[in-house]
């Protein structure tokens, strides 16, 4: 079973598969996903993967947000160390370009970044480089099994962009 099929079945079990879309074009980057979905890049919920203490920490953030080393260290107690591409599939079950916060192994811990809170709905991937699902934040929280909200990103607040 492909990663996309696993995610679709996972969301179906939660009654949330209605918004799953498989695009005819790539959605493997924030820009491509935004174009495919017809939304601004900020509404793409990107899944960033980091080395944890014996596990993978996934931070789901808005498409226009960037991880801030200081904020990350404050929240997690260590410097951010992104997983190399060859480890991403091994630790999340999804290939780079389709990484999402659904149907994950127990060793992947999901955190939602506050940069997402400014949108009523966002578009995370669904396990492939040409898929997404539109969902509100409550659905994202439930479907991802997130353990909490974090504030580890910068570059998305209006006052920061003006500097």
């Amino acid at each position: 079973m492909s990663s996309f099929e696993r995610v679709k079945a996972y969301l179906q079990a939660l009654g949330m598969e209605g918004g799953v879309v498989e695009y005819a074009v790539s959605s493997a980057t924030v820009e491509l996903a935004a174009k495919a979905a017809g939304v601004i890049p900020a509404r793409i919920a990107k899944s960033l993967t980091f080395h944890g203490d014996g596990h993978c920490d996934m931070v789901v953030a808005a498409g226009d947000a960037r991880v801030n080393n200081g904020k990350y260290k404050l929240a997690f107690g260590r410097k951010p160390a992104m997983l190399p591409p060859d480890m991403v599939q091994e630790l999340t079950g999804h290939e780079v370009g389709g990484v999402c916060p659904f149907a994950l192994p127990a060793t992947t811990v999901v955190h939602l970044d506050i940069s997402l809170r400014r949108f009523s709905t966002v578009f995370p991937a669904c396990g492939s480089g040409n898929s997404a699902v539109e969902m509100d934040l409550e659905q994202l929280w439930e479907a991802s099994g997130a353990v909490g909200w974090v504030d580890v990103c910068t570059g998305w607040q209006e006052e920061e962009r003006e500097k």
Side-chain angles (χ1 to χ4, degrees), residues 61-86:
D64 62 347
R66 294 180 320 277
V67 172
N68 175 281
N69 290 343
K71 285 182 159 196
Y72 187 96
K73 188 172 183 180
L74 189 63
F76 290 96
R78 63 185 167 280
K79 291 181 183 179
M82 291 197 79
L83 293 177
D86 61 325

Side-chain angles (χ1 to χ4, degrees), residues 30-103:
V30 168
E31 293 75 21
L32 291 173
K35 189 173 183 178
V39 298
I40 60 171
R43 288 187 59 203
I44 301 303
K46 62 184 176 184
S47 298
L48 306 168
T49 53
F50 301 89
H51 288 284
D53 291 327
H55 64 277
C56 168
D57 277 315
M58 179 181 288
V59 174
V60 183
D64 62 347
R66 294 180 320 277
V67 172
N68 175 281
N69 290 343
K71 285 182 159 196
Y72 187 96
K73 188 172 183 180
L74 189 63
F76 290 96
R78 63 185 167 280
K79 291 181 183 179
M82 291 197 79
L83 293 177
D86 61 325
M87 288 185 70
V88 171
Q89 185 172 10
E90 176 186 335
L91 295 178
T92 68
H94 306 302
E95 290 184 25
V96 172
V99 177
C100 64
F102 314 120

